[in-house]
Amino acid sequence: MGKVHVFDHPLIQHKVALMRKTDTVTKEFRELATEVAMLMGFEATRNLELEEVEIETPLCKTKVNMLKGEDIAIVPILRAGLGFVDGMLALVPNAKVGHIGLYRDPETHEPVEYYCKLPVDIEKRKIFVVDPMLATGGSAVAAIDFIKQRGGKDIVFMCLIAAPEGIEVLQNAHPDVDIYIAAKDERLNEHAYIIPGLGDAGDRLYGTK
Ligand code: PRP
Ligand code: URA
């Protein structure tokens, strides 16, 4: 079963609390999303492999640890996942970015695919699937299904807020995927929104409501 990592770092907790507030405006919400993505990404990349290489400082030759050139892909689930991309790219600027377009049908809450474009060598990459919200889990499961169908193997999922229902669905569907979350909330309401949550993440990021 994939591990669930819940971040208890005070900076992450504080910033997520600000994002939840109704009076946090779009500009501020977007900035906070980038900052939280960086803070979470810092920890989620902890297991990247290092290799010892010889370099020259101005004084002498020495051996240092550097990233093993592990190839990374960041895959936001559109649209709200885009809010995590800049923060992750600040940490791993050479990462490739794939996009998966999914929206939840307002009646059934089932994910509907409208776009999928991944790096051609996705099977070789460590893949960070990013989306602020894990509610029913339908979107995350569908996105990871697409990635696996195209050869992706080494996948982690990162989100801000998760409902217990979504975590369970994702773990059952993809037990090989570790899940990184900033907050585990109480439940879903009758419209499959996370309670207390932060509302509709896409609308809050892009000011569309
Ligand atoms: C939101 C969110 C997730 C999904 C989570 O996207 O960004 O992708 O809902 O819900 P689930 O776990 O029940 O599938 P939404 O469908 O609102 O689309 P948007 O990002 O384009 O606003
Ligand atoms: N999608 C969101 O943006 N928010 C929720 O609470 C649930 C799904």
Side-chain angles (χ1 to χ4, degrees), residues 77-81 102-105 109-111 114 131-140 166 188 192-194 200-203:
I77 302 178
L78 306 182
R79 44 192 171 151
L102 291 174
Y103 69 87
R104 292 200 316 176
D105 181 286
H109 310 136
E110 289 293 319
Y114 60 90
D131 190 335
M133 310 304 275
L134 178 65
T136 64
S139 302
L188 297 177
Y193 271 80
I194 300 175
D200 186 302
D203 285 337

PDB file of all heavy atoms in Angstrom, residues 77-81 102-105 109-111 114 131-140 166 188 192-194 200-203, ligand 1:
ATOM      1  N   ILE A  77      -2.941  18.040 -12.927  1.00  0.00           N
ATOM      2  CA  ILE A  77      -4.283  17.732 -13.435  1.00  0.00           C
ATOM      3  C   ILE A  77      -4.977  19.078 -13.639  1.00  0.00           C
ATOM      4  O   ILE A  77      -5.139  19.858 -12.689  1.00  0.00           O
ATOM      5  CB  ILE A  77      -5.076  16.858 -12.434  1.00  0.00           C
ATOM      6  CG1 ILE A  77      -4.314  15.548 -12.145  1.00  0.00           C
ATOM      7  CG2 ILE A  77      -6.471  16.569 -12.976  1.00  0.00           C
ATOM      8  CD1 ILE A  77      -4.987  14.628 -11.127  1.00  0.00           C
ATOM      9  N   LEU A  78      -5.303  19.387 -14.901  1.00  0.00           N
ATOM     10  CA  LEU A  78      -5.922  20.688 -15.229  1.00  0.00           C
ATOM     11  C   LEU A  78      -7.326  20.737 -14.621  1.00  0.00           C
ATOM     12  O   LEU A  78      -7.990  19.710 -14.566  1.00  0.00           O
ATOM     13  CB  LEU A  78      -5.990  20.867 -16.735  1.00  0.00           C
ATOM     14  CG  LEU A  78      -4.665  20.706 -17.496  1.00  0.00           C
ATOM     15  CD1 LEU A  78      -4.892  20.961 -18.986  1.00  0.00           C
ATOM     16  CD2 LEU A  78      -3.595  21.628 -16.950  1.00  0.00           C
ATOM     17  N   ARG A  79      -7.712  21.965 -14.257  1.00  0.00           N
ATOM     18  CA  ARG A  79      -6.875  23.130 -14.309  1.00  0.00           C
ATOM     19  C   ARG A  79      -6.143  23.429 -13.013  1.00  0.00           C
ATOM     20  O   ARG A  79      -5.081  24.028 -13.006  1.00  0.00           O
ATOM     21  CB  ARG A  79      -7.697  24.324 -14.633  1.00  0.00           C
ATOM     22  CG  ARG A  79      -8.636  25.068 -14.565  1.00  0.00           C
ATOM     23  CD  ARG A  79      -9.556  26.001 -14.725  1.00  0.00           C
ATOM     24  NE  ARG A  79     -10.602  25.697 -13.781  1.00  0.00           N
ATOM     25  CZ  ARG A  79     -11.368  26.642 -13.265  1.00  0.00           C
ATOM     26  NH1 ARG A  79     -11.196  27.909 -13.602  1.00  0.00           N
ATOM     27  NH2 ARG A  79     -12.307  26.333 -12.423  1.00  0.00           N
ATOM     28  N   ALA A  80      -6.747  23.041 -11.889  1.00  0.00           N
ATOM     29  CA  ALA A  80      -6.224  23.527 -10.620  1.00  0.00           C
ATOM     30  C   ALA A  80      -4.794  23.051 -10.340  1.00  0.00           C
ATOM     31  O   ALA A  80      -4.030  23.738  -9.668  1.00  0.00           O
ATOM     32  CB  ALA A  80      -7.154  23.135  -9.478  1.00  0.00           C
ATOM     33  N   GLY A  81      -4.414  21.900 -10.896  1.00  0.00           N
ATOM     34  CA  GLY A  81      -3.058  21.396 -10.691  1.00  0.00           C
ATOM     35  C   GLY A  81      -1.991  22.348 -11.208  1.00  0.00           C
ATOM     36  O   GLY A  81      -0.842  22.324 -10.749  1.00  0.00           O
ATOM     37  N   LEU A 102      -8.854  17.118 -16.963  1.00  0.00           N
ATOM     38  CA  LEU A 102     -10.008  16.373 -16.431  1.00  0.00           C
ATOM     39  C   LEU A 102     -10.910  17.367 -15.733  1.00  0.00           C
ATOM     40  O   LEU A 102     -10.425  18.279 -15.086  1.00  0.00           O
ATOM     41  CB  LEU A 102      -9.560  15.378 -15.355  1.00  0.00           C
ATOM     42  CG  LEU A 102      -8.740  14.163 -15.716  1.00  0.00           C
ATOM     43  CD1 LEU A 102      -8.314  13.453 -14.439  1.00  0.00           C
ATOM     44  CD2 LEU A 102      -9.533  13.219 -16.584  1.00  0.00           C
ATOM     45  N   TYR A 103     -12.218  17.221 -15.891  1.00  0.00           N
ATOM     46  CA  TYR A 103     -13.105  17.976 -14.997  1.00  0.00           C
ATOM     47  C   TYR A 103     -14.147  17.015 -14.442  1.00  0.00           C
ATOM     48  O   TYR A 103     -14.406  15.961 -15.029  1.00  0.00           O
ATOM     49  CB  TYR A 103     -13.780  19.154 -15.719  1.00  0.00           C
ATOM     50  CG  TYR A 103     -14.789  18.756 -16.761  1.00  0.00           C
ATOM     51  CD1 TYR A 103     -16.113  18.527 -16.428  1.00  0.00           C
ATOM     52  CD2 TYR A 103     -14.405  18.591 -18.091  1.00  0.00           C
ATOM     53  CE1 TYR A 103     -17.026  18.146 -17.392  1.00  0.00           C
ATOM     54  CE2 TYR A 103     -15.309  18.204 -19.057  1.00  0.00           C
ATOM     55  CZ  TYR A 103     -16.625  17.985 -18.703  1.00  0.00           C
ATOM     56  OH  TYR A 103     -17.527  17.593 -19.655  1.00  0.00           O
ATOM     57  N   ARG A 104     -14.684  17.378 -13.292  1.00  0.00           N
ATOM     58  CA  ARG A 104     -15.702  16.515 -12.674  1.00  0.00           C
ATOM     59  C   ARG A 104     -17.066  16.868 -13.241  1.00  0.00           C
ATOM     60  O   ARG A 104     -17.462  18.039 -13.230  1.00  0.00           O
ATOM     61  CB  ARG A 104     -15.748  16.735 -11.156  1.00  0.00           C
ATOM     62  CG  ARG A 104     -14.536  16.267 -10.461  1.00  0.00           C
ATOM     63  CD  ARG A 104     -14.775  16.053  -8.991  1.00  0.00           C
ATOM     64  NE  ARG A 104     -15.533  17.101  -8.318  1.00  0.00           N
ATOM     65  CZ  ARG A 104     -15.908  17.035  -7.043  1.00  0.00           C
ATOM     66  NH1 ARG A 104     -15.610  15.970  -6.326  1.00  0.00           N
ATOM     67  NH2 ARG A 104     -16.556  18.017  -6.481  1.00  0.00           N
ATOM     68  N   ASP A 105     -17.767  15.868 -13.717  1.00  0.00           N
ATOM     69  CA  ASP A 105     -19.143  16.115 -14.154  1.00  0.00           C
ATOM     70  C   ASP A 105     -19.942  16.590 -12.927  1.00  0.00           C
ATOM     71  O   ASP A 105     -19.903  15.937 -11.881  1.00  0.00           O
ATOM     72  CB  ASP A 105     -19.745  14.818 -14.702  1.00  0.00           C
ATOM     73  CG  ASP A 105     -21.158  15.030 -15.193  1.00  0.00           C
ATOM     74  OD1 ASP A 105     -22.076  15.176 -14.348  1.00  0.00           O
ATOM     75  OD2 ASP A 105     -21.343  15.071 -16.411  1.00  0.00           O
ATOM     76  N   HIS A 109     -20.208  13.601 -10.626  1.00  0.00           N
ATOM     77  CA  HIS A 109     -18.908  13.792  -9.971  1.00  0.00           C
ATOM     78  C   HIS A 109     -17.824  12.897 -10.566  1.00  0.00           C
ATOM     79  O   HIS A 109     -16.731  12.792 -10.029  1.00  0.00           O
ATOM     80  CB  HIS A 109     -18.982  13.590  -8.440  1.00  0.00           C
ATOM     81  CG  HIS A 109     -20.076  14.368  -7.784  1.00  0.00           C
ATOM     82  ND1 HIS A 109     -20.895  13.848  -6.830  1.00  0.00           N
ATOM     83  CD2 HIS A 109     -20.480  15.647  -7.974  1.00  0.00           C
ATOM     84  CE1 HIS A 109     -21.784  14.752  -6.447  1.00  0.00           C
ATOM     85  NE2 HIS A 109     -21.539  15.855  -7.130  1.00  0.00           N
ATOM     86  N   GLU A 110     -18.141  12.252 -11.709  1.00  0.00           N
ATOM     87  CA  GLU A 110     -17.138  11.398 -12.369  1.00  0.00           C
ATOM     88  C   GLU A 110     -16.194  12.267 -13.195  1.00  0.00           C
ATOM     89  O   GLU A 110     -16.630  13.262 -13.804  1.00  0.00           O
ATOM     90  CB  GLU A 110     -17.832  10.411 -13.328  1.00  0.00           C
ATOM     91  CG  GLU A 110     -18.615   9.309 -12.642  1.00  0.00           C
ATOM     92  CD  GLU A 110     -17.722   8.347 -11.874  1.00  0.00           C
ATOM     93  OE1 GLU A 110     -16.656   7.993 -12.396  1.00  0.00           O
ATOM     94  OE2 GLU A 110     -18.094   7.974 -10.747  1.00  0.00           O
ATOM     95  N   PRO A 111     -14.898  11.912 -13.279  1.00  0.00           N
ATOM     96  CA  PRO A 111     -13.983  12.720 -14.083  1.00  0.00           C
ATOM     97  C   PRO A 111     -14.205  12.522 -15.587  1.00  0.00           C
ATOM     98  O   PRO A 111     -14.466  11.406 -16.028  1.00  0.00           O
ATOM     99  CB  PRO A 111     -12.605  12.178 -13.673  1.00  0.00           C
ATOM    100  CG  PRO A 111     -12.851  10.823 -13.127  1.00  0.00           C
ATOM    101  CD  PRO A 111     -14.249  10.789 -12.613  1.00  0.00           C
ATOM    102  N   TYR A 114     -10.391  15.622 -21.116  1.00  0.00           N
ATOM    103  CA  TYR A 114     -10.415  16.433 -22.335  1.00  0.00           C
ATOM    104  C   TYR A 114      -9.025  16.692 -22.892  1.00  0.00           C
ATOM    105  O   TYR A 114      -8.889  17.248 -23.981  1.00  0.00           O
ATOM    106  CB  TYR A 114     -11.179  17.749 -22.119  1.00  0.00           C
ATOM    107  CG  TYR A 114     -10.608  18.655 -21.048  1.00  0.00           C
ATOM    108  CD1 TYR A 114      -9.650  19.617 -21.354  1.00  0.00           C
ATOM    109  CD2 TYR A 114     -11.037  18.552 -19.727  1.00  0.00           C
ATOM    110  CE1 TYR A 114      -9.129  20.447 -20.373  1.00  0.00           C
ATOM    111  CE2 TYR A 114     -10.527  19.383 -18.740  1.00  0.00           C
ATOM    112  CZ  TYR A 114      -9.572  20.329 -19.070  1.00  0.00           C
ATOM    113  OH  TYR A 114      -9.050  21.144 -18.089  1.00  0.00           O
ATOM    114  N   ASP A 131      -2.249  18.139  -7.875  1.00  0.00           N
ATOM    115  CA  ASP A 131      -3.618  18.660  -7.918  1.00  0.00           C
ATOM    116  C   ASP A 131      -3.936  19.119  -6.501  1.00  0.00           C
ATOM    117  O   ASP A 131      -3.694  18.362  -5.557  1.00  0.00           O
ATOM    118  CB  ASP A 131      -4.586  17.537  -8.347  1.00  0.00           C
ATOM    119  CG  ASP A 131      -5.981  18.059  -8.643  1.00  0.00           C
ATOM    120  OD1 ASP A 131      -6.374  19.114  -8.106  1.00  0.00           O
ATOM    121  OD2 ASP A 131      -6.687  17.386  -9.416  1.00  0.00           O
ATOM    122  N   PRO A 132      -4.455  20.328  -6.301  1.00  0.00           N
ATOM    123  CA  PRO A 132      -4.684  20.772  -4.917  1.00  0.00           C
ATOM    124  C   PRO A 132      -5.680  19.906  -4.142  1.00  0.00           C
ATOM    125  O   PRO A 132      -5.587  19.808  -2.937  1.00  0.00           O
ATOM    126  CB  PRO A 132      -5.229  22.191  -5.067  1.00  0.00           C
ATOM    127  CG  PRO A 132      -4.931  22.601  -6.456  1.00  0.00           C
ATOM    128  CD  PRO A 132      -4.785  21.363  -7.275  1.00  0.00           C
ATOM    129  N   MET A 133      -6.674  19.293  -4.826  1.00  0.00           N
ATOM    130  CA  MET A 133      -7.752  18.640  -4.084  1.00  0.00           C
ATOM    131  C   MET A 133      -7.868  17.160  -4.436  1.00  0.00           C
ATOM    132  O   MET A 133      -7.853  16.781  -5.600  1.00  0.00           O
ATOM    133  CB  MET A 133      -9.106  19.320  -4.412  1.00  0.00           C
ATOM    134  CG  MET A 133      -9.097  20.829  -4.283  1.00  0.00           C
ATOM    135  SD  MET A 133      -8.573  21.434  -2.672  1.00  0.00           S
ATOM    136  CE  MET A 133     -10.083  21.383  -1.762  1.00  0.00           C
ATOM    137  N   LEU A 134      -8.003  16.336  -3.387  1.00  0.00           N
ATOM    138  CA  LEU A 134      -8.309  14.909  -3.574  1.00  0.00           C
ATOM    139  C   LEU A 134      -9.643  14.693  -2.862  1.00  0.00           C
ATOM    140  O   LEU A 134      -9.678  14.574  -1.636  1.00  0.00           O
ATOM    141  CB  LEU A 134      -7.198  14.064  -2.953  1.00  0.00           C
ATOM    142  CG  LEU A 134      -7.344  12.552  -3.003  1.00  0.00           C
ATOM    143  CD1 LEU A 134      -7.307  12.049  -4.442  1.00  0.00           C
ATOM    144  CD2 LEU A 134      -6.246  11.872  -2.200  1.00  0.00           C
ATOM    145  N   ALA A 135     -10.732  14.696  -3.623  1.00  0.00           N
ATOM    146  CA  ALA A 135     -12.069  14.647  -3.006  1.00  0.00           C
ATOM    147  C   ALA A 135     -12.611  13.217  -3.064  1.00  0.00           C
ATOM    148  O   ALA A 135     -12.374  12.429  -2.151  1.00  0.00           O
ATOM    149  CB  ALA A 135     -12.975  15.664  -3.690  1.00  0.00           C
ATOM    150  N   THR A 136     -13.317  12.847  -4.164  1.00  0.00           N
ATOM    151  CA  THR A 136     -13.753  11.448  -4.295  1.00  0.00           C
ATOM    152  C   THR A 136     -12.584  10.556  -4.686  1.00  0.00           C
ATOM    153  O   THR A 136     -12.650   9.334  -4.564  1.00  0.00           O
ATOM    154  CB  THR A 136     -14.832  11.292  -5.378  1.00  0.00           C
ATOM    155  OG1 THR A 136     -14.243  11.635  -6.652  1.00  0.00           O
ATOM    156  CG2 THR A 136     -16.035  12.178  -5.119  1.00  0.00           C
ATOM    157  N   GLY A 137     -11.552  11.176  -5.248  1.00  0.00           N
ATOM    158  CA  GLY A 137     -10.396  10.424  -5.731  1.00  0.00           C
ATOM    159  C   GLY A 137     -10.509  10.057  -7.204  1.00  0.00           C
ATOM    160  O   GLY A 137      -9.553   9.573  -7.813  1.00  0.00           O
ATOM    161  N   GLY A 138     -11.681  10.322  -7.803  1.00  0.00           N
ATOM    162  CA  GLY A 138     -11.907   9.930  -9.203  1.00  0.00           C
ATOM    163  C   GLY A 138     -10.898  10.555 -10.161  1.00  0.00           C
ATOM    164  O   GLY A 138     -10.365   9.872 -11.049  1.00  0.00           O
ATOM    165  N   SER A 139     -10.613  11.848  -9.978  1.00  0.00           N
ATOM    166  CA  SER A 139      -9.703  12.529 -10.922  1.00  0.00           C
ATOM    167  C   SER A 139      -8.282  11.988 -10.781  1.00  0.00           C
ATOM    168  O   SER A 139      -7.608  11.723 -11.790  1.00  0.00           O
ATOM    169  CB  SER A 139      -9.698  14.042 -10.653  1.00  0.00           C
ATOM    170  OG  SER A 139     -10.995  14.560 -10.761  1.00  0.00           O
ATOM    171  N   ALA A 140      -7.821  11.809  -9.550  1.00  0.00           N
ATOM    172  CA  ALA A 140      -6.449  11.322  -9.339  1.00  0.00           C
ATOM    173  C   ALA A 140      -6.300   9.911  -9.900  1.00  0.00           C
ATOM    174  O   ALA A 140      -5.308   9.600 -10.578  1.00  0.00           O
ATOM    175  CB  ALA A 140      -6.124  11.345  -7.843  1.00  0.00           C
ATOM    176  N   GLY A 166     -11.252  10.034  -0.525  1.00  0.00           N
ATOM    177  CA  GLY A 166     -10.371  10.097  -1.702  1.00  0.00           C
ATOM    178  C   GLY A 166      -9.075   9.338  -1.482  1.00  0.00           C
ATOM    179  O   GLY A 166      -8.564   8.666  -2.382  1.00  0.00           O
ATOM    180  N   LEU A 188     -16.568  14.525   2.812  1.00  0.00           N
ATOM    181  CA  LEU A 188     -17.155  15.174   1.634  1.00  0.00           C
ATOM    182  C   LEU A 188     -18.591  15.581   1.965  1.00  0.00           C
ATOM    183  O   LEU A 188     -19.263  14.897   2.746  1.00  0.00           O
ATOM    184  CB  LEU A 188     -17.190  14.201   0.458  1.00  0.00           C
ATOM    185  CG  LEU A 188     -15.833  13.703  -0.055  1.00  0.00           C
ATOM    186  CD1 LEU A 188     -16.043  12.688  -1.176  1.00  0.00           C
ATOM    187  CD2 LEU A 188     -14.987  14.874  -0.551  1.00  0.00           C
ATOM    188  N   ALA A 192     -19.949  16.393  -3.076  1.00  0.00           N
ATOM    189  CA  ALA A 192     -18.585  15.865  -3.170  1.00  0.00           C
ATOM    190  C   ALA A 192     -17.527  16.962  -3.045  1.00  0.00           C
ATOM    191  O   ALA A 192     -16.445  16.873  -3.617  1.00  0.00           O
ATOM    192  CB  ALA A 192     -18.375  15.046  -4.444  1.00  0.00           C
ATOM    193  N   TYR A 193     -17.847  18.017  -2.294  1.00  0.00           N
ATOM    194  CA  TYR A 193     -16.842  19.029  -1.930  1.00  0.00           C
ATOM    195  C   TYR A 193     -16.256  18.672  -0.562  1.00  0.00           C
ATOM    196  O   TYR A 193     -16.961  18.127   0.292  1.00  0.00           O
ATOM    197  CB  TYR A 193     -17.452  20.444  -1.898  1.00  0.00           C
ATOM    198  CG  TYR A 193     -17.372  21.086  -3.264  1.00  0.00           C
ATOM    199  CD1 TYR A 193     -18.300  20.776  -4.251  1.00  0.00           C
ATOM    200  CD2 TYR A 193     -16.323  21.941  -3.577  1.00  0.00           C
ATOM    201  CE1 TYR A 193     -18.199  21.316  -5.523  1.00  0.00           C
ATOM    202  CE2 TYR A 193     -16.206  22.487  -4.848  1.00  0.00           C
ATOM    203  CZ  TYR A 193     -17.151  22.164  -5.815  1.00  0.00           C
ATOM    204  OH  TYR A 193     -17.028  22.697  -7.065  1.00  0.00           O
ATOM    205  N   ILE A 194     -14.968  19.019  -0.394  1.00  0.00           N
ATOM    206  CA  ILE A 194     -14.291  18.669   0.849  1.00  0.00           C
ATOM    207  C   ILE A 194     -14.700  19.655   1.948  1.00  0.00           C
ATOM    208  O   ILE A 194     -14.699  20.876   1.735  1.00  0.00           O
ATOM    209  CB  ILE A 194     -12.756  18.675   0.659  1.00  0.00           C
ATOM    210  CG1 ILE A 194     -12.355  17.646  -0.413  1.00  0.00           C
ATOM    211  CG2 ILE A 194     -12.049  18.374   1.978  1.00  0.00           C
ATOM    212  CD1 ILE A 194     -10.874  17.658  -0.778  1.00  0.00           C
ATOM    213  N   ASP A 200     -13.796  25.618  -4.365  1.00  0.00           N
ATOM    214  CA  ASP A 200     -13.375  25.103  -5.662  1.00  0.00           C
ATOM    215  C   ASP A 200     -11.985  25.663  -5.982  1.00  0.00           C
ATOM    216  O   ASP A 200     -11.818  26.862  -6.210  1.00  0.00           O
ATOM    217  CB  ASP A 200     -14.383  25.522  -6.733  1.00  0.00           C
ATOM    218  CG  ASP A 200     -14.077  24.882  -8.071  1.00  0.00           C
ATOM    219  OD1 ASP A 200     -12.949  25.094  -8.599  1.00  0.00           O
ATOM    220  OD2 ASP A 200     -14.940  24.171  -8.595  1.00  0.00           O
ATOM    221  N   ALA A 201     -10.996  24.789  -5.965  1.00  0.00           N
ATOM    222  CA  ALA A 201      -9.609  25.243  -6.094  1.00  0.00           C
ATOM    223  C   ALA A 201      -9.366  25.949  -7.427  1.00  0.00           C
ATOM    224  O   ALA A 201      -8.672  26.973  -7.477  1.00  0.00           O
ATOM    225  CB  ALA A 201      -8.670  24.047  -5.938  1.00  0.00           C
ATOM    226  N   GLY A 202      -9.936  25.429  -8.510  1.00  0.00           N
ATOM    227  CA  GLY A 202      -9.741  26.051  -9.831  1.00  0.00           C
ATOM    228  C   GLY A 202     -10.316  27.458  -9.860  1.00  0.00           C
ATOM    229  O   GLY A 202      -9.671  28.413 -10.316  1.00  0.00           O
ATOM    230  N   ASP A 203     -11.519  27.613  -9.355  1.00  0.00           N
ATOM    231  CA  ASP A 203     -12.145  28.941  -9.324  1.00  0.00           C
ATOM    232  C   ASP A 203     -11.346  29.904  -8.461  1.00  0.00           C
ATOM    233  O   ASP A 203     -11.196  31.077  -8.793  1.00  0.00           O
ATOM    234  CB  ASP A 203     -13.583  28.843  -8.799  1.00  0.00           C
ATOM    235  CG  ASP A 203     -14.527  28.258  -9.835  1.00  0.00           C
ATOM    236  OD1 ASP A 203     -14.216  28.336 -11.037  1.00  0.00           O
ATOM    237  OD2 ASP A 203     -15.571  27.713  -9.436  1.00  0.00           O
TER     238      ASP A 203
HETATM  239  C1  PRP B   1     -11.128  19.613  -8.915  1.00  0.00           C
HETATM  240  C2  PRP B   1      -9.745  19.367  -8.362  1.00  0.00           C
HETATM  241  C3  PRP B   1      -9.515  17.923  -8.711  1.00  0.00           C
HETATM  242  C4  PRP B   1     -10.885  17.333  -8.581  1.00  0.00           C
HETATM  243  C5  PRP B   1     -10.954  16.584  -7.286  1.00  0.00           C
HETATM  244  O1  PRP B   1     -11.088  19.817 -10.259  1.00  0.00           O
HETATM  245  O2  PRP B   1      -8.790  20.241  -8.882  1.00  0.00           O
HETATM  246  O3  PRP B   1      -9.010  17.719 -10.008  1.00  0.00           O
HETATM  247  O4  PRP B   1     -11.823  18.413  -8.559  1.00  0.00           O
HETATM  248  O5  PRP B   1     -12.173  15.927  -7.177  1.00  0.00           O
HETATM  249  P1  PRP B   1     -12.309  14.347  -7.192  1.00  0.00           P
HETATM  250  O6  PRP B   1     -11.271  13.811  -6.268  1.00  0.00           O
HETATM  251  O7  PRP B   1     -13.711  14.125  -6.683  1.00  0.00           O
HETATM  252  O8  PRP B   1     -12.147  13.870  -8.596  1.00  0.00           O
HETATM  253  P2  PRP B   1     -12.398  20.249 -11.105  1.00  0.00           P
HETATM  254  O9  PRP B   1     -13.078  19.032 -11.629  1.00  0.00           O
HETATM  255  O10 PRP B   1     -13.232  21.175 -10.289  1.00  0.00           O
HETATM  256  O11 PRP B   1     -11.793  20.962 -12.366  1.00  0.00           O
HETATM  257  P3  PRP B   1     -10.931  22.314 -12.497  1.00  0.00           P
HETATM  258  O12 PRP B   1      -9.579  22.033 -11.889  1.00  0.00           O
HETATM  259  O13 PRP B   1     -10.849  22.499 -13.962  1.00  0.00           O
HETATM  260  O14 PRP B   1     -11.638  23.431 -11.789  1.00  0.00           O
END
